[in-house]
Amino acid sequence: MRQYILRRLLIAVPSLLGISLVLFTVLALAPGDPFAELATNPNVPPEVAMALRAKFGLDDPVYVRYLRWLAAMTQGDWGFSFVSRMNVDTLILQRLPTTLYVIGSAQLLALLIAIPVGVYAATRPYSIFDQIANTLAFIGFSLPTFFTGLLFILIFSITLDWLPFVYSSDIKATGIRWLFEHIRQAIMPVMVLGLFQAASMTRFVRSAMLDVIRLDYVTTARAKGLGQPRVIVKHAMRNAMIPVVTLVALQMPAVFGGAIVTEQIFRIPGIGSLLISSILSNDTPVVMAVTFVFACLVVLFNLIADILYGWLDPRISFR
């Protein structure tokens, strides 16, 4: 296992280097200048703007700037934010826990809905429950997150006044009240992301279960006199989860993309809203660091998925 994980991490290194090179080149060639406001500000002397550009190496060739950025990254220096006037790693570490909290809760909610609904629908194909589940899954998958987010705000915040529609990271309460307020303000964004992911996962779990429950070993387990719940849970569902794990890992980029939209709707101070504001202000060091963090998280989740394969199916060996 250790050798497999180490080998996968070594394989991930050139992939991340290639991703970082493409991202850096695209951002360097994109229109816009982070010091454009200084050039048009009459209160800032031209020599000050030129000194800042020389300090950050903005006039150097792209390959020189990339090598400088890569060398600094290997030493733990993620750069300096031109807009926030602080180190990029500090800025990201302030926002990343909130994003991971929302995304992690949404993924957990999606799995808690999709697995039991998909498994039960597969055991009762073409029943009323199966038809209702498929219909709701199609509706949930068809509605984009920005629409459901606004719909939730209209219903639960404006009409019913149950939940706040603006996420606040500075809650004055303490103790149980502080925890309750954090959970309360996260309900809507988690529901928006979780229900969208659950819709596609439900269809996938149902399809995977239908393929597995028709196999010979499941029929043999039933012939031995095992009960239906034990056959489904112990023999069928475990193998059916292998393609589901693949789906969850491959959907992580889409989840982060949905989180960016959701954070904008609910004003969540996460890494997604930081990315949008940095793009609008041409804060390229922050944009580069955030997109690179997204790439690292995607690689990490794919590694976790590969490890789960061996746990779900012992026939899979790590070689």
Side-chain angles (χ1 to χ4, degrees):
M1 174 69 76
R2 291 181 179 178
Q3 293 180 354
Y4 174 78
I5 296 176
L6 180 60
R7 188 165 60 249
R8 285 300 305 270
L9 291 176
L10 292 177
I11 294 174
V13 170
S15 300
L16 291 176
L17 286 176
I19 293 172
S20 65
L21 177 60
V22 173
L23 289 175
F24 195 93
T25 304
V26 170
L27 291 175
L29 299 178
D33 187 351
F35 292 122
E37 295 184 2
L38 294 180
T40 58
N41 191 342
N43 297 321
V44 178
E47 56 271 15
V48 174
M50 293 176 62
L52 287 174
R53 295 185 64 88
K55 177 182 178 181
F56 292 103
L58 296 181
D59 294 327
D60 294 336
V62 175
Y63 70 92
V64 174
R65 293 161 56 187
Y66 173 73
L67 293 176
R68 187 186 300 121
W69 174 86
L70 185 61
M73 281 286 291
T74 56
Q75 299 175 7
D77 183 7
W78 289 42
F80 186 79
S81 173
F82 302 139
V83 177
S84 301
R85 303 293 191 270
M86 60 189 304
N87 292 331
V88 175
D89 55 349
T90 304
L91 192 60
I92 290 179
L93 290 177
Q94 290 177 352
R95 302 288 194 101
L96 188 59
T98 303
T99 297
L100 293 180
Y101 165 63
V102 173
I103 290 179
S105 301
Q107 285 296 95
L108 180 61
L109 175 64
L111 291 173
L112 291 176
I113 294 175
I115 292 178
V117 172
V119 170
Y120 190 79
T123 58
R124 305 285 192 279
Y126 309 111
S127 62
I128 296 179
F129 179 86
D130 185 28
Q131 295 177 12
I132 294 175
N134 284 329
T135 302
L136 294 178
F138 277 123
I139 294 174
F141 187 72
S142 302
L143 297 177
T145 54
F146 70 84
F147 176 81
T148 54
L150 295 176
L151 185 63
F152 275 33
I153 290 175
L154 288 174
I155 296 175
F156 296 107
S157 293
I158 297 178
T159 304
L160 300 177
D161 196 20
W162 287 355
L163 301 171
F165 63 88
V166 176
Y167 195 100
S168 175
S169 59
D170 186 18
I171 297 178
K172 304 300 182 183
T174 58
I176 300 297
R177 183 66 182 177
W178 178 87
L179 180 61
F180 173 76
E181 289 297 329
H182 267 285
I183 295 175
R184 183 168 171 262
Q185 68 180 359
I187 290 177
M188 283 199 296
V190 169
M191 290 286 288
V192 168
L193 283 174
L195 293 178
F196 181 77
Q197 295 298 318
S200 60
M201 288 184 191
T202 300
R203 294 281 301 168
F204 210 82
V205 171
R206 178 185 179 276
S207 176
M209 278 296 299
L210 284 175
D211 292 338
V212 171
I213 59 178
R214 298 191 181 105
L215 297 179
D216 293 339
Y217 76 93
V218 178
T219 305
T220 303
R222 289 197 182 99
K224 289 181 178 179
L226 297 179
Q228 179 74 355
R230 187 175 180 183
V231 171
I232 295 299
V233 175
K234 186 176 181 180
H235 295 273
M237 192 172 72
R238 188 165 181 173
N239 287 338
M241 290 300 103
I242 294 177
V244 177
V245 170
T246 304
L247 175 69
V248 173
L250 294 178
Q251 277 190 339
M252 289 314 299
V255 173
F256 283 113
I260 293 174
V261 177
T262 305
E263 287 182 5
Q264 287 295 105
I265 295 174
F266 295 100
R267 297 295 185 266
I268 300 175
I271 197 171
S273 59
L274 174 64
L275 177 62
I276 296 298
S277 61
S278 301
I279 292 175
L280 295 177
S281 58
N282 290 320
D283 198 357
T284 51
V286 179
V287 177
M288 181 66 199
V290 171
T291 50
F292 189 71
V293 167
F294 280 161
C296 293
L297 290 175
V298 171
V299 171
L300 175 63
F301 281 114
N302 279 273
L303 175 61
I304 294 174
D306 289 342
I307 296 174
L308 288 176
Y309 292 157
W311 177 74
L312 291 170
D313 191 350
R315 296 172 300 178
I316 300 176
S317 59
F318 298 105
R319 295 181 180 176

